[in-house]
């Protein structure tokens, strides 16, 4: 799994103003990039100082930055302890007796691997390649929802997923977006809007911003059944805006969404927990249920890892 990390890209550290979750992720990645899977505060500081090009700063400015980094790494270590407290044996890192951030297990198993996969998917800018990671994250979200709502039927929406373990029943997989929306309307028993559908280019092979869809069948062929739309987002900066892509307002262009009530979910591999054990940025939530790294791991089992291809 170490081979997925680009050590060349890791030389760029987060901004000092970034959240503690971003910084803790970054330090975990630096730990994994080391041959012995452990790193101390001096090594962390040295890497960040080089990435910020301290050489051109005045001596006073360098001292101030080092002081800020010292406080930042103190907070990171506390956050590592918080993650360990919340996740127990699922969390693969620890602070050892030499005050080093370290990988605490010799051999990663099950949810340890899934944690690291989600860590990688949260930090695509530091990875060698991203397409398999994003495809696998969609599969993780599919499996999560099937476990959360076992009485519902879930499918991925779109044709770009490259996970080779997907079956035909896992995906609404027409090539053209317009064709997929026609099949989507049948799946969720919601009528099409022919005028809106006619405006979709025949060359549009995208997904319209919808990654996952689920329904609860109710024993008849009538409309108005429980429907879930989901969006999978791997970016700390963009997940909030992506909530709009699964809103009623977006999809009523093509579907008569008022015929039912659609619940929306936003899935992120990000650790979205602050030092008070609450959402780091709950003001960014908008009419969606948020499923983050901790919530995914809470329900995950070994089958989640067995269906990944990127690791």
């Amino acid at each position: 799994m170490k081979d997925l990390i680009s050590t060349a890209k890791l030389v760029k550290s987060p901004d000092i103003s970034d959240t503690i979750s971003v910084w803790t992720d970054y330090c975990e990645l630096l730990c994994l990039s080391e041959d012995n899977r452990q790193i101390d505060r001096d090594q962390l500081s040295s890497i960040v100082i080089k990435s910020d090009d301290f050489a051109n700063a005045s001596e006073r400015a360098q001292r101030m930055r080092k002081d800020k980094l010292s406080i930042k790494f103190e907070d990171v270590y506390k956050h590592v302890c918080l993650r360990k407290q919340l996740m127990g044996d699922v969390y693969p890192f620890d602070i050892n007796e030499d005050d080093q951030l370290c990988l605490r297990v010799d051999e990663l198993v099950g949810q340890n691997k899934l944690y690291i996969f989600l860590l990688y998917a949260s930090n695509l800018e530091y990875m060698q390649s991203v397409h398999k990671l994003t495809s696998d994250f969609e599969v993780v979200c599919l499996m999560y929802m099937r476990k959360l709502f076992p009485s519902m039927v879930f499918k991925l929406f779109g044709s770009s997923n490259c996970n080779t373990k997907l079956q035909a029943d896992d995906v609404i997989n027409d090539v053209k977006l317009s064709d997929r929306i026609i099949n989507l309307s049948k799946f969720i028993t919601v009528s099409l809007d022919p005028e809106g559908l006619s405006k979709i280019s025949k060359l549009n092979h995208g997904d319209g911003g919808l990654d996952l869809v689920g329904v609860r069948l109710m024993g008849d062929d009538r409309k108005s059944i429980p429907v879930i739309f989901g969006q999978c987002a791997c970016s700390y900066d963009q997940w909030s805006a992506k909530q709009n892509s699964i809103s009623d307002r977006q999809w009523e262009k093509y579907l008569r969404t008022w015929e039912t009530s659609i619940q929306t979910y936003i899935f992120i591999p990000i650790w979205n927990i602050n030092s008070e054990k609450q959402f780091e940025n709950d003001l960014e939530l908008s009419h969606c249920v948020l499923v983050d790294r901790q919530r995914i791991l809470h329900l995950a089992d070994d089958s989640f890892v067995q269906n990944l291809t990127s690791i």
Side-chain angles (χ1 to χ4, degrees):
M1 293 178 71
K2 175 188 173 184
D3 294 340
L4 288 171
I5 302 175
S6 169
T7 53
K9 294 178 181 178
L10 272 178
V11 298
K12 185 181 188 316
S13 70
D15 293 332
I16 198 71
S17 59
D18 280 334
T19 66
I20 191 60
S21 294
V22 171
W23 272 93
T24 305
D25 275 9
Y26 179 68
C27 291
E28 289 174 356
L29 290 172
L30 289 176
C31 174
L32 290 172
S33 71
E34 294 289 317
D35 290 337
N36 60 359
R37 305 296 194 273
Q38 57 189 32
I39 192 167
D40 60 33
R41 301 190 201 206
D42 287 341
Q43 290 172 289
L44 292 170
S45 182
S46 176
I47 292 168
V48 175
I49 285 172
K50 289 177 182 177
S51 74
D52 282 344
D53 191 17
F54 271 37
N56 295 327
S58 67
E59 186 175 337
R60 180 173 179 275
Q62 288 185 30
R63 284 200 306 273
M64 291 177 64
R65 291 184 188 179
K66 287 179 179 178
D67 289 343
K68 286 184 179 179
L69 280 179
S70 177
I71 295 171
K72 183 66 71 176
F73 292 135
E74 183 67 31
D75 290 341
V76 165
Y77 271 43
K78 290 178 181 177
H79 208 67
V80 166
C81 294
L82 175 65
R83 292 185 179 187
K84 182 181 177 184
Q85 174 194 341
L86 292 175
M87 307 196 67
D89 290 340
V90 171
Y91 185 59
F93 296 95
D94 202 352
I95 307 298
N96 66 20
E97 59 186 14
D98 295 321
D99 201 37
Q100 297 168 315
L101 173 62
C102 66
L103 194 64
R104 66 169 181 79
V105 288
D106 294 329
E107 183 176 350
L108 295 170
V109 296
Q111 289 162 291
N112 300 147
K113 290 183 179 180
L114 184 59
Y115 178 91
I116 292 178
F117 163 77
L118 295 171
L119 172 67
Y120 288 176
S122 302
N123 294 275
L124 298 178
E125 67 270 31
Y126 298 123
M127 298 296 110
Q128 298 276 13
S129 59
V130 302
H131 194 45
K132 280 191 174 182
L133 287 168
T134 55
S135 291
D136 277 358
F137 182 57
E138 290 181 355
V139 173
V140 166
C141 298
L142 176 67
M143 298 185 70
Y144 177 88
M145 293 304 280
R146 286 174 173 174
K147 195 159 187 179
L148 186 65
F149 296 111
S151 63
M152 295 187 72
V153 180
F154 286 95
K155 294 178 182 286
L156 294 180
F157 183 78
S159 59
S160 62
N161 195 295
C162 65
N163 184 299
T164 54
K165 298 187 178 182
L166 287 172
Q167 304 296 314
D169 287 343
D170 294 327
V171 185
I172 298 175
N173 199 25
D174 303 272
V175 174
K176 297 177 182 178
L177 175 60
S178 55
D179 291 339
R180 280 203 302 282
I181 291 177
I182 291 171
N183 282 323
L184 173 65
S185 72
K186 297 174 183 176
F187 182 57
I188 65 175
T189 65
V190 168
S191 304
L192 288 165
D193 185 322
E195 182 179 354
L197 192 67
S198 68
K199 294 178 181 178
I200 299 176
S201 168
K202 297 300 181 183
L203 300 177
N204 188 338
H205 297 169
D207 57 24
L210 177 63
D211 290 324
L212 181 150
V213 60
V215 296
R216 175 62 167 92
L217 302 178
M218 301 180 74
D220 56 52
D221 296 327
R222 292 175 291 174
K223 299 175 181 177
S224 188
I225 62 174
V227 178
I228 288 176
F229 278 6
Q231 166 66 242
C232 308
C234 291
S235 170
Y236 272 96
D237 300 326
Q238 297 176 13
W239 72 262
S240 178
K242 285 192 172 185
Q243 294 172 100
N244 298 324
S245 67
I246 49 175
S247 68
D248 279 3
R249 181 170 297 180
Q250 174 67 20
W251 284 91
E252 68 184 11
K253 300 173 185 176
Y254 317 117
L255 302 167
R256 292 171 179 165
T257 56
W258 58 86
E259 293 177 348
T260 190
S261 178
I262 299 175
Q263 187 173 31
T264 55
Y265 279 66
I266 183 78
F267 304 93
I268 57 176
I270 296 159
W271 180 271
N272 197 265
I273 302 176
N274 61 21
S275 299
E276 286 73 47
K277 304 179 186 179
Q278 301 300 318
F279 284 125
E280 193 126 48
N281 38 17
D282 57 354
L283 292 179
E284 295 185 24
L285 282 171
S286 178
H287 303 287
C288 277
V289 177
L290 178 64
V291 179
D292 66 348
R293 188 185 307 171
Q294 192 272 342
R295 287 183 168 178
I296 291 170
L297 286 160
H298 178 69
L299 280 187
D301 55 35
D302 287 349
S303 68
F304 282 53
V305 176
Q306 292 165 5
N307 280 279
L308 302 182
T309 59
S310 58
I311 61 173

